[in-house]
Amino acid sequence: AGKFYSVSVTLTDDVSIPGDKTLNVPPGAVLTVPERVTLINKGTINNQGTINNQGIIQNSGSITGKPVTGTLKITSVKTTLTAGSETNGQIVAKAAVTGIAGTVNYSIEGFPKLPAGLGINDTTGEITVTDASKLVPAATVGVTVKARGGTYGEATAKVEITVVDDNGDKDDDKDGDNGNDDEDDNDDNKDDGNNGSDDNGNNYDPVKPINPNFAGDADNNGCDTGTGKFGALIPPLAVIVCVKRRIRGRINKL
């Protein structure tokens, strides 16, 4: 049986492992099969380290231990999508793997997942729009695509996908309030600059103190809800007090 005693070995020529031989790659060792180089295995490869396959592995024997690491390349087709403008079946990106054998299965590895409305074809490696109605503006996400061979080998690669609105914004929360409308035109507590006065100029500000002595001219009898002490009362009560004082003032004039 052959065994690596070096931490890293890169093949420079084609290599064949006979049917009665075993190649052991120990933990910590790295075997690299570069482009345009072929590793022919008719025996056994026991991989406890790392095998990086960028070339070709022809396997008619067995490969045990850890999967061979292949190369996965992702071609971006249209990775910035506009909510409300895309169509079902539209290709977002394509994944293609080399260096692994058998039937290849593609999937999204770990988190984050694909944005809502997108999916990956586990056979072809294409990421497509599966339901355009579910696309909503969101921050850019970087997803990891994984390819795994049915016989041996796996590979991963990342692709960034962004969904924007028709103005090119990533988030539909334009005022930064997480979707809450904090500008209520019907808010009765909103200060419109007139200190609580209504359109007729009547001051109903409950926090303004009034003249404690009810100082005022003969016409209003000191009844100024904006400057008199009853201004501290709720507006309806302040009005009632003012009306009573005006009636009393008129009686006193008789």
Side-chain angles (χ1 to χ4, degrees), residues 130-207:
T130 55
D131 189 344
S133 66
K134 293 183 179 180
L135 292 175
V136 294
T140 299
V141 295
V143 297
T144 299
V145 179
K146 183 175 184 178
R148 185 173 179 84
T151 304
Y152 66 83
E154 64 182 27
T156 59
K158 285 189 175 182
V159 58
E160 291 188 343
I161 299 173
T162 306
V163 180
V164 299
D165 62 16
D166 53 6
N167 292 319
D169 294 326
K170 297 179 183 180
D171 193 337
D172 58 357
D173 179 19
K174 297 181 178 60
D175 57 5
D177 63 357
N178 296 319
N180 295 317
D181 185 3
D182 54 8
E183 185 175 350
D184 183 2
D185 293 335
N186 296 317
D187 186 355
D188 293 332
N189 295 320
K190 180 180 177 182
D191 184 359
D192 57 5
N194 63 5
N195 297 319
S197 299
D198 63 14
D199 292 338
N200 296 319
N202 297 317
N203 195 322
Y204 296 127
D205 189 343
V207 298

Side-chain angles (χ1 to χ4, degrees), residues 38-192:
T38 301
L39 174 60
I40 303 170
N41 178 41
K42 298 179 180 179
T44 301
I45 297 177
N46 179 23
N47 180 30
Q48 299 302 319
T50 300
I51 299 178
N52 288 326
N53 183 25
Q54 303 165 6
I56 299 173
I57 296 179
Q58 294 179 356
N59 182 46
S60 59
S62 64
I63 298 177
T64 61
K66 296 181 179 179
V68 174
T69 302
T71 301
L72 181 63
K73 294 182 179 180
I74 298 180
T75 302
S76 296
V77 178
K78 186 180 181 182
T79 52
T80 297
L81 306 170
T82 302
S85 300
E86 310 302 339
T87 57
N88 292 344
Q90 179 177 309
I91 297 175
V92 177
K94 296 180 180 180
V97 68
T98 58
I100 62 178
T103 301
V104 178
N105 180 269
Y106 295 90
S107 62
I108 301 299
E109 177 79 354
F111 292 92
K113 297 299 185 182
L114 286 170
L118 302 182
I120 185 169
N121 187 307
D122 59 3
T123 302
T124 66
E126 291 181 343
I127 297 175
T128 61
V129 177
T130 55
D131 189 344
S133 66
K134 293 183 179 180
L135 292 175
V136 294
T140 299
V141 295
V143 297
T144 299
V145 179
K146 183 175 184 178
R148 185 173 179 84
T151 304
Y152 66 83
E154 64 182 27
T156 59
K158 285 189 175 182
V159 58
E160 291 188 343
I161 299 173
T162 306
V163 180
V164 299
D165 62 16
D166 53 6
N167 292 319
D169 294 326
K170 297 179 183 180
D171 193 337
D172 58 357
D173 179 19
K174 297 181 178 60
D175 57 5
D177 63 357
N178 296 319
N180 295 317
D181 185 3
D182 54 8
E183 185 175 350
D184 183 2
D185 293 335
N186 296 317
D187 186 355
D188 293 332
N189 295 320
K190 180 180 177 182
D191 184 359
D192 57 5

